[in-house]
Amino acid sequence: MRRAYGRPGAWQEFGDRRHRCHCPALRPAARVLVPDHHGRHRSRRTYGTTASGGRARSKHAMNAERRTPVTVIGLGNMGAALATALLERGHETTVWNRTPAKAAALAARGARVAATPAEAVASSDLVIACVLDHDALHTVVDPVVAALAGRTLVNLTTGSPEQAEEFAAWAASHGVDYLDGAVMTTPPGVGSPEMMFLYSGLRSAFDTHRPALEALGDPLFLGEGAGLASLYDVALLGLMWAAFGGWLHGTALVGADGAKATEFAPLALRWLGGAVNAFITRYAAQVDEGRYPGDDATVDVQIAAIDHLIHAAADRGVDNALPRLLKATMERTHAAGHGGDSFASVIEVLRKP
């Protein structure tokens, strides 16, 4: 839990919730004698409220003006959320968007609106870009690459690992420090310390600007290969879509017998957070070792079990494309000689389609 002290009525943070604080301010009040661990008494300052009743500026607030200025290029839903989070945490924030009207709300909150990309880049040593695609980003930054030299470009534009590597090479050739990034949340989650932001590229750039990046979410550095953030992004999205698909199929199945999604969801979440969590932890070690002991449930047992799911869904008129795909993958794993191994052995046929 973090609390940021500032001016009276300032927004204070408690986890990912924000509350307006109207509590009295702290001020130096008196010195008192307190014993140390040797029994000697030392003078220590205590704090109280200011005469005006306002909250005194804390070190956190007094240092706000020294926080890294940041430029945000691109003000779609995600770009606007990034700029908002930076403003809320006291960063001097310059914004630019091809359509200037999108900057109006941010300007009202204190953002400086640049008239051109060149002006935007020149305003900050840290430039964060979040635009439609990499082609759109090249259109914006190529003409101002001379101004970018010596600065850090954090690219949060969605793209492939190969595009990230290409952009990193372009940046290096022009003297630009480059970080590729992936935002693992939707715009409403930006600013929450619970939300992951993945980064890869120049480690020194990440270390230098980590305090500013923490304003957006939990910054995780994956390595100096520029494509790593994009690679992990699509891998985690694949996991999310598979989980969504499995949950929705299960919801359709139990819903055919009258259960509500809100009744099924708590059981699904408990299942995922408990047993499935433990399976993934165990299977990860098996995958790394290349050994798949079938001491919990073998692939052959899973094939038999998924038949029950397929039959139950068919009887209730629920689409079976997803479980049939999973069964076909299990049968390929059996044919490859892993019928007596754990489910983790499925990775062998995924690696060699």
Side-chain angles (χ1 to χ4, degrees), residues 181-236:
V183 182
M184 306 311 296
T185 183
T186 54
V190 173
S192 168
E194 300 300 317
M195 298 301 158
M196 297 188 299
F197 277 63
L198 310 180
Y199 298 97
S200 56
L202 196 61
R203 178 71 199 227
S204 60
F206 176 81
D207 291 340
T208 297
H209 296 293
R210 178 170 187 150
L213 298 177
E214 286 177 344
L216 309 178
D218 184 15
L220 303 176
F221 185 77
L222 301 177
E224 295 209 328
L228 286 173
S230 292
L231 183 64
Y232 274 63
D233 178 30
V234 293
L236 289 169

Side-chain angles (χ1 to χ4, degrees), residues 284-306:
Q286 293 182 11
V287 168
D288 285 346
E289 293 173 4
R291 296 178 60 255
Y292 315 102
D295 52 7
D296 49 13
T298 66
V299 170
D300 286 343
V301 168
Q302 304 283 13
I303 291 172
I306 202 169

Side-chain angles (χ1 to χ4, degrees), residues 139-159:
T139 299
V140 174
V141 298
D142 282 6
V144 296
V145 67
L148 264 177
R151 304 178 195 272
T152 296
L153 174 63
V154 178
N155 183 13
L156 297 180
T157 302
T158 301

